[in-house]
Amino acid sequence: MPDTIKRAPISQQPFKVEKPLDLNAIGGMISIQINEKKVSVPLGTTILEACRDNHIHIPTLCHHPDLCIAGVCRVCVVEVDGMRTLQASCSFPITASIKIKTSSELVRKARRNIIDLLLSEHHGECYACVKNKNCELQTLSKEYGVDNMRFGHVKEPVYEVDFSSTSLVRDMNKCVLCRRCIRTCIDLQEVGVLEAINRGDKTQISTFYDKPLQDVICINCGQCLNRCPTGALYSNDPSDEIWRAIDDPQKHVVIQTAPSPRAAIGEEFGYAPGHSFTPELNTALKRIGFDRVFDTNFTADLTILEEGTELLTRLKKAIVDKDTTVKLPQFTSCSPGWIKFIEHFYPEHLDYLSTAKSPQQMFGAIIKTFYAQEQGIDPKDIVSVSLMPCSAKKFECNRPEMDASGFRDVDYGLTTRELAKMIREAGIFLPELPKSGFDEPFGEASGAGLIFGATGGVMEAALRTVYELVTGREVPFENLRIEACRGFEGIKEASVKLENVLPAYSFLEGVNFKFMVAHGTANAKQVMELLREGKLSDVHFVEIMACPGGCLGGGGQPIPTSEEIRKQRAKAIYAEEEGLPIRKSHENPHVKYIYEKFIPEGPCSELSHKLLHTHYKKRGRYII
Amino acid sequence: MENNFKKTKREGVVIFSPYESGSSIKKALEIGRENILFEVRESKMKGRGGAGFPTATKWMLVAASRADKKYMICNADEGEPGTFKDRVLLTEYPALVFDGMVVGGYTIGSEIGILYLRGEYIFMLEELEDFLQSMRKQNLLGKNILGKEGFNFDIAIRLGSGAYVCGEETALIESLEGHRGEPRNRPPYPVNTGYMGYPTVVNNVETLASIPQIITKGADWFKAHGTDKSTGSKLFSVSGDCEKPGVYELPWGTSLNELVEIVGATNTKAIQVGGASGICIPKSQFDRKLSYEDASTGGSIMIFNQSRKMLKVLKNFMEFFVEESCGQCTPCRIGNIKLLEGVVKIEKGDYTFSYINSLKDLSKTMQVASKCGLGQSSPNPFISILENFKDEIFSSNGNGANHA
């Protein structure tokens, strides 16, 4: 029985022939012939996989390693002996001994014709496009030597560009209808904002009733941006305003940088995924003209203390006071995509969310209050920028309630890609810069904050702190590595037994502290369905990140993306973490300082609630 | 729309030959699955929707597959321009169609039959439902049909929503499942993964209507009509410039010359065989025979006399495809737009021959690279009309004239 929960139509789902477990069994391997070369592949391998494994390049456009197979662009067609028509190699599983030709005249002509067709309907002005030099259509046309527009070219834009969303821009004039965005939205993220409408020449990608993006249930995760092969989808770029602020001597421009962009920005400068450029980036940001460069990890540490305290309070209320109104498990609230997701899809479950703001917003509130006071700067002159891997952060900092300081707590959310552009604009080659540290008074943060960038990171950081708060001992894992939180499995689940706890937490003695980690809203949905069915009653804490892989796979990260790339980024983050002197949030001296000096009543106190906590909005599925 | 066909007795050697409602079901239950499959295979019956896939093979594949459920779907999304034979069958010979479904359902081991009825045919819905009800009363549908223990089968009618592409079997299944009507990737074929993921037979109305006749009268009788490779007879929906348009049952192998005679067409210039996605045959080739091996058709025959401008005919077809492509794959979605653009340019005299040649080249790509039969066959009229009528089209009275 097909999975009816999956919303993607079967026409856009792959035909999978399960690969045999035992390849040595009879029929396990199939011998085929690719361009006269005899090779042997496991049963069920697609032609595309077989060719790539044998170093034969097949061009693709609608195919994406993260997404189900659509077989709609037809760029990857190959000739299969005995078949009347060409076959899309991405969607053809090998189940018999076949002969394939990947570059015969018929195939070459077909590909060239298809690319010409795509170009004829694509309003591409490459030099004025965000995806210039990182566009798959551009690459294809180069590969196939397109030298003239045989079938014409769109001279004037047809569609109005949708700038309504604070996070995303949709320019359907550049859309080639590969439907990756649809598959991302419906299948990968299970949000379902984008779908094809009309048919024939009027086919286009659209939203519910063709409404602008701000009026539909888009969660701004930006996963579609990362997978759009052209410049049809991109993030709403605030860099012009930021330059203006930098150039304005009146303004004190500060920037906080999140860990994920630092682990990925090298890719924008030609480095393979998996190189972290934190110290070089600090130098670059100062050269660009930011007055102060701070580390978002500092407020990640703060988040852990607030969120951890909140969790312990909830546990106490539930266990000691037998308060049945307390909602458990507590869900993390760092990911703005996830927040909007739950607000739209599970508005009745908002009470399960931690009220702690995300690190970005905590920092915003701290900068325009505590920092402004300490430095004697009028907060109205401060322009607070955040470098994030995330397109939803742009939406988050524009949420009306994010003004605890009396001003916009964070003025601009900047993505990795946009900052890379600013760095290039400033004539800087990032990887070759000298290294420098973060600015005081927040300085270097703990490694616990750093690993927020990978899925499971918040949980790992929280456990390190909560376990130690409760028992007075370090978490019982080698080198503080909580492997149960790591890795890219969709939903992870584990538990730690709390034993010999400190007297203050005697109510937790013997409790099997159970936690879950999910990334990608499709997985979040599964967790929420479990919650609805009452199957999470023994779980205490759940971390959810809207994007696959966590922040390092965010919608503002360098393009392309794939699981392999995300794994490399995670590796870079974990490697950087192990080298840091402080690896537990509660040991961050600057965090201690903030509490002593600025919030003396400690985490979850009244002032902390005013500045560092927030509330959510029951949005529901229809925006009226 | 009203049913404006006259309910007169039609003449024909196979489908329109006398048939008693329910008799084939009775016989089928007597002879058993193996013998049904044997008869159908022996009859060399091929799918009447146009593609000509051997019906017995399709049934055998599903009959042999193991699944909790199997479906028997009748494709009544008769959308090919110029086809109206299924309409005649459903309004005048519903017993043939439904009995064929029951026999098919019995053979493949299905309990559920679905008639996917073209949205525009809603006017016949009530009558069809009434007919199904009367079949239920006679125990030709329902539980333990005609006393056959364990053979349960019923038929539901679903309406299409007006997309031409939903006549393509996988798009039809998508539509039945409630999705956009878009063809799926093949493989998998519906015989493996069809409606709701279960093995499914999708047969044309006429295919199913032929089955009861084969079962009751035998494969040899059926094979006596038609040609060696195209056995039996075919319903042709004849329209256009002729005296007697309508639905004709003629044996396969009838030549176009004979057809022209029968329907009373004079001064004929060309015949479009197979609807908009078929080929256009000029008078000089009227000795060609209607059959799978020569001039193949799902039933649509459009006759054009000397007064018609072929470029205009072509333009009309291409406009149809531009609108009716599902919009999924590149060659079909944009290719048809470009072919139409080409036709318009020829009309205006604004073209070069190298441009026309690149369009011909494009047509070939569409034929081999499109995802489904729609895009694979939509360039057919472009290729055949341009080839067969180039003297007219590129001459001074054919409107392709102004080219210097």
Side-chain angles (χ1 to χ4, degrees):
Chain A
M1 185 66 205
D3 186 4
T4 46
I5 300 165
K6 284 262 177 203
R7 292 185 47 206
I10 296 178
S11 67
Q12 286 166 39
Q13 281 176 24
F15 175 44
K16 268 198 196 136
V17 173
E18 291 301 323
K19 289 187 186 161
L21 295 172
D22 179 11
L23 292 179
N24 294 323
I26 294 170
M29 296 293 281
I30 307 267
S31 26
I32 56 164
Q33 199 174 316
I34 311 176
N35 302 338
E36 311 303 319
K37 189 184 162 198
K38 285 201 170 105
V39 296
S40 167
V41 296
L43 176 91
T45 313
T46 63
I47 294 181
L48 181 67
E49 289 165 348
C51 290
R52 289 195 171 164
D53 289 349
N54 287 287
H55 311 290
I56 294 162
H57 174 67
I58 306 268
T60 51
L61 185 69
C62 69
H63 178 266
H64 192 281
D66 288 334
L67 303 176
C68 61
I69 284 153
V72 296
C73 75
R74 316 305 283 179
V75 169
C76 70
V77 287
V78 295
E79 211 176 323
V80 177
D81 233 26
M83 298 192 90
R84 186 177 55 86
T85 54
L86 301 178
Q87 299 298 318
S89 59
C90 64
S91 63
F92 194 103
I94 296 168
T95 53
S97 188
I98 50 172
K99 285 182 185 167
I100 303 161
K101 284 184 202 138
T102 65
S103 56
S104 63
E105 191 195 353
L106 193 64
V107 170
R108 285 195 324 269
K109 270 194 175 168
R111 287 185 190 155
R112 171 70 201 271
N113 273 328
I114 290 166
I115 293 162
D116 277 343
L117 287 178
L118 288 167
L119 290 172
S120 76
E121 293 277 291
H122 171 75
H123 182 247
E125 293 177 318
C126 295
Y127 36 82
C129 178
V130 281
K131 291 293 279 294
N132 194 7
K133 294 183 87 178
N134 189 15
C135 167
E136 291 177 47
L137 188 61
Q138 208 179 37
T139 312
L140 277 177
S141 37
K142 191 177 173 195
E143 231 172 86
Y144 281 83
V146 173
D147 48 8
N148 64 1
M149 304 283 185
R150 278 189 294 171
F151 305 123
H153 186 50
V154 195
K155 301 233 163 48
E156 293 294 325
V158 181
Y159 304 100
E160 207 178 308
V161 182
D162 180 2
F163 284 107
S164 69
S165 162
T166 44
S167 296
L168 276 50
V169 183
R170 276 178 78 225
D171 180 359
M172 287 299 101
N173 297 300
K174 295 198 171 119
C175 175
V176 292
L177 291 165
C178 70
R179 305 198 178 189
R180 280 191 194 170
C181 54
I182 298 180
R183 281 173 285 149
T184 305
C185 204
I186 292 182
D187 203 45
L188 184 75
Q189 292 289 70
E190 291 197 29
V191 175
V193 162
L194 300 172
E195 185 47 294
I197 62 160
N198 302 335
R199 64 168 188 255
D201 56 333
K202 299 193 179 56
T203 312
Q204 66 176 101
I205 310 297
S206 186
T207 55
F208 184 63
Y209 276 98
D210 209 9
K211 287 178 185 220
L213 267 184
Q214 68 167 2
D215 291 341
V216 293
I217 53 169
C218 172
I219 62 165
N220 304 311
C221 67
Q223 290 303 306
C224 54
L225 314 183
N226 285 358
R227 288 169 183 81
C228 179
T230 69
L233 291 164
Y234 54 96
S235 51
N236 211 335
D237 185 355
S239 55
D240 284 345
E241 283 103 316
I242 295 171
W243 279 121
R244 214 170 297 137
I246 289 172
D247 294 339
D248 184 346
Q250 287 294 312
K251 298 288 183 197
H252 181 79
V253 189
V254 303
I255 185 166
Q256 49 166 316
T257 71
S260 292
R262 305 183 321 223
I265 197 163
E267 294 163 39
E268 288 281 337
F269 294 89
Y271 273 68
H275 288 80
S276 201
F277 284 98
T278 310
E280 291 85 353
L281 188 65
N282 290 338
T283 314
L285 290 169
K286 277 170 216 160
R287 286 204 186 167
I288 282 178
F290 286 100
D291 295 300
R292 293 282 187 281
V293 181
F294 299 134
D295 187 352
T296 307
N297 297 352
F298 163 75
T299 36
D301 286 337
L302 208 57
T303 302
I304 289 299
L305 287 171
E306 292 291 336
E307 212 166 53
T309 311
E310 185 186 355
L311 176 65
L312 289 173
T313 316
R314 284 194 195 201
L315 287 171
K316 189 173 181 200
K317 273 189 189 161
I319 297 170
V320 180
D321 308 341
K322 311 272 185 231
D323 183 346
T324 49
T325 61
V326 168
K327 302 290 189 215
L328 280 169
Q330 175 176 303
F331 283 73
T332 60
S333 57
C334 310
S335 167
W338 151 240
I339 295 300
K340 197 151 182 269
F341 182 84
I342 189 174
E343 285 177 334
H344 282 307
F345 290 89
Y346 299 93
E348 67 282 9
H349 289 92
L350 291 179
D351 291 344
Y352 288 85
L353 283 176
S354 160
T355 57
K357 281 182 182 172
S358 70
Q360 163 180 287
Q361 290 310 127
M362 284 198 185
F363 222 138
I366 296 273
I367 285 170
K368 291 202 180 174
T369 52
F370 168 76
Y371 171 77
Q373 271 172 38
E374 274 226 330
Q375 305 286 311
I377 305 169
D378 188 341
K380 80 170 170 29
D381 290 333
I382 297 180
V383 174
S384 177
V385 181
S386 66
L387 168 64
M388 292 287 148
C390 181
S391 48
K393 289 284 176 192
K394 294 169 189 287
F395 173 82
E396 187 185 31
C397 71
N398 281 304
R399 288 175 75 115
E401 66 273 20
M402 294 297 180
D403 58 354
S405 60
F407 303 88
R408 271 299 75 207
D409 290 346
V410 174
D411 294 286
Y412 303 110
L414 193 66
T415 66
T416 317
R417 295 191 295 269
E418 291 154 1
L419 179 72
K421 193 198 77 185
M422 287 180 78
I423 293 176
R424 281 193 291 265
E425 242 176 312
I428 298 168
F429 184 63
L430 176 83
E432 286 174 1
L433 288 185
K435 302 179 178 194
S436 62
F438 289 101
D439 287 321
E440 294 301 330
F442 305 111
E444 314 293 330
S446 83
L450 186 73
I451 56 172
F452 263 54
T455 166
V458 179
M459 185 57 68
E460 185 166 346
L463 284 176
R464 287 180 191 173
T465 292
V466 170
Y467 189 88
E468 200 162 320
L469 279 182
V470 171
T471 63
R473 304 183 304 273
E474 257 187 10
V475 277
F477 297 101
E478 192 203 337
N479 205 10
L480 297 177
R481 255 186 248 136
I482 309 180
E483 292 293 347
C485 295
R486 301 189 180 187
F488 279 14
E489 208 182 309
I491 299 173
K492 296 176 289 244
E493 204 181 322
S495 57
V496 197
K497 191 136 193 154
L498 301 174
E499 278 165 327
N500 300 327
V501 298
L502 294 177
Y505 294 103
S506 56
F507 61 96
L508 289 173
E509 181 64 46
V511 166
N512 199 23
F513 185 82
K514 203 168 164 195
F515 54 91
M516 280 175 107
V517 175
H519 61 120
T521 43
N523 293 319
K525 200 172 183 173
Q526 284 189 33
V527 173
M528 290 311 288
E529 288 304 321
L530 289 176
L531 179 69
R532 256 191 185 164
E533 291 161 22
K535 288 181 182 158
L536 293 188
S537 51
D538 59 338
V539 180
H540 300 100
F541 199 21
V542 182
E543 176 204 305
I544 290 189
M545 292 291 158
C547 294
C551 302
L552 50 84
Q557 291 282 68
I559 298 168
T561 183
S562 69
E563 180 148 312
E564 200 34 54
I565 292 174
R566 295 193 290 274
K567 276 185 181 156
Q568 292 303 323
R569 290 177 189 160
K571 233 178 173 172
I573 286 179
Y574 286 120
E576 192 180 340
E577 199 266 324
E578 301 226 338
L580 289 181
I582 305 167
R583 295 177 59 203
K584 289 176 267 183
S585 299
H586 55 280
E587 287 179 0
N588 181 340
H590 301 278
V591 169
K592 286 183 187 162
Y593 177 73
I594 280 261
Y595 279 118
E596 276 163 24
K597 191 112 191 264
F598 190 58
I599 315 175
E601 284 122 74
C604 294
S605 64
E606 201 187 321
L607 183 60
S608 118
H609 260 284
K610 181 171 173 282
L611 289 179
L612 307 180
H613 288 252
T614 185
H615 54 271
Y616 307 106
K617 191 175 162 186
K618 285 188 179 176
R619 290 177 198 270
R621 295 199 186 199
Y622 303 97
I623 297 177
I624 345 169
Chain B
M1 209 198 286
E2 280 179 28
N3 188 13
N4 48 12
F5 281 114
K6 281 178 256 143
K7 294 215 174 184
T8 51
K9 191 167 162 12
R10 292 181 183 272
E11 282 171 28
V13 284
V14 177
I15 297 176
F16 293 154
S17 68
Y19 173 74
E20 189 198 332
S21 175
S23 58
S24 64
I25 302 178
K26 202 170 155 214
K27 177 145 186 222
L29 296 177
E30 275 167 27
I31 62 174
R33 293 193 171 91
E34 285 76 15
N35 289 322
I36 301 170
L37 283 172
F38 180 79
E39 284 296 324
V40 178
R41 199 185 68 195
E42 278 302 292
S43 75
K44 296 192 198 166
M45 174 76 195
K46 287 181 182 170
R48 297 301 199 233
F53 190 81
T55 307
T57 311
K58 199 184 261 187
W59 284 17
M60 270 181 217
L61 286 168
V62 177
S65 66
R66 284 189 193 172
D68 314 342
K69 282 184 195 168
K70 294 173 186 176
Y71 290 96
M72 176 82 223
I73 294 177
C74 173
N75 181 350
D77 191 59
E78 187 175 40
E80 188 67 47
T83 329
F84 38 86
K85 60 177 179 77
D86 294 347
R87 175 176 169 171
V88 168
L89 283 173
L90 287 166
T91 46
E92 299 175 26
Y93 299 86
L96 281 175
V97 181
F98 291 135
D99 287 4
M101 284 180 81
V102 177
V103 172
Y106 173 65
T107 314
I108 63 169
S110 159
E111 297 201 339
I112 303 166
I114 302 171
L115 178 79
Y116 185 88
L117 189 65
R118 168 173 198 195
E120 290 87 339
Y121 286 174
I122 189 166
F123 68 90
M124 55 174 89
L125 183 63
E126 211 179 299
E127 250 174 79
L128 291 175
E129 291 284 11
D130 288 348
F131 192 86
L132 287 177
Q133 203 51 41
S134 74
M135 280 178 79
R136 285 183 195 111
K137 277 187 191 139
Q138 297 167 57
N139 195 219
L140 295 171
L141 287 178
K143 294 229 154 44
N144 303 326
I145 290 173
L146 293 182
K148 181 83 178 177
E149 200 61 37
F151 176 44
N152 310 325
F153 188 78
D154 210 329
I155 296 172
I157 302 179
R158 297 271 179 280
L159 281 174
S161 305
Y164 169 71
V165 73
C166 288
E168 199 276 347
E169 57 179 358
T170 57
L172 183 151
I173 291 170
E174 282 284 293
S175 165
L176 274 180
E177 288 181 8
H179 302 299
R180 264 172 80 80
E182 288 181 340
R184 297 174 175 177
N185 287 315
R186 302 149 67 96
Y189 298 93
V191 290
N192 288 320
T193 310
Y195 180 58
M196 304 307 268
Y198 295 109
T200 302
V201 165
V202 183
N203 279 149
N204 179 264
V205 173
E206 191 184 340
T207 312
L208 289 167
S210 307
I211 295 293
Q213 303 285 22
I214 295 174
I215 297 300
T216 47
K217 298 180 179 122
D220 289 335
W221 168 83
F222 182 82
K223 259 194 304 194
H225 307 282
T227 71
D228 191 35
K229 283 182 180 159
S230 311
T231 54
S233 67
K234 178 84 188 85
L235 300 190
F236 296 102
S237 317
V238 182
S239 62
D241 300 320
C242 64
E243 278 170 27
K244 294 178 277 182
V247 174
Y248 291 84
E249 181 180 352
L250 300 170
W252 281 117
T254 305
S255 75
L256 290 174
N257 272 323
E258 288 165 315
L259 182 96
V260 167
E261 196 82 359
I262 295 167
V263 302
T266 48
N267 204 18
T268 305
K269 185 200 270 186
I271 298 181
Q272 178 79 12
V273 177
S277 62
I279 49 168
C280 195
I281 299 178
K283 191 165 188 342
S284 58
Q285 296 173 23
F286 277 7
D287 55 339
R288 288 180 70 174
K289 290 181 165 56
L290 292 162
S291 61
Y292 290 110
E293 59 270 28
D294 189 359
S296 178
T297 170
S300 168
I301 301 283
M302 289 184 231
I303 302 176
F304 301 105
N305 70 18
Q306 296 293 344
S307 70
R308 308 289 168 185
K309 281 190 173 160
M310 294 320 286
L311 195 61
K312 235 175 164 175
V313 170
L314 175 58
K315 189 180 176 188
N316 185 291
F317 288 149
M318 294 324 296
E319 281 169 348
F320 175 77
F321 288 122
V322 164
E323 196 176 313
E324 290 297 344
S325 160
C326 80
Q328 194 182 184
C329 78
T330 318
C332 177
R333 183 185 70 244
I334 314 180
N336 283 313
I337 299 176
K338 296 300 150 186
L339 294 188
L340 177 62
E341 257 175 40
V343 174
V344 172
K345 283 191 170 173
I346 297 173
E347 255 185 353
K348 289 184 186 155
D350 170 26
Y351 61 90
T352 62
F353 281 114
S354 73
Y355 169 66
I356 302 295
N357 282 331
S358 63
L359 288 180
K360 278 189 178 169
D361 194 49
L362 170 65
S363 307
K364 277 174 203 136
T365 291
M366 289 166 68
Q367 285 180 321
V368 293
S370 294
K371 188 168 179 174
C372 80
L374 199 169
Q376 288 163 10
S377 58
S378 68
N380 288 347
F382 186 87
I383 294 172
S384 63
I385 292 181
L386 232 49
E387 181 56 38
N388 293 329
F389 300 94
K390 57 182 164 212
D391 290 343
E392 176 198 319
I393 287 170
F394 298 111
S395 74
S396 52
N397 56 0
N399 266 356
N402 308 330
H403 177 63

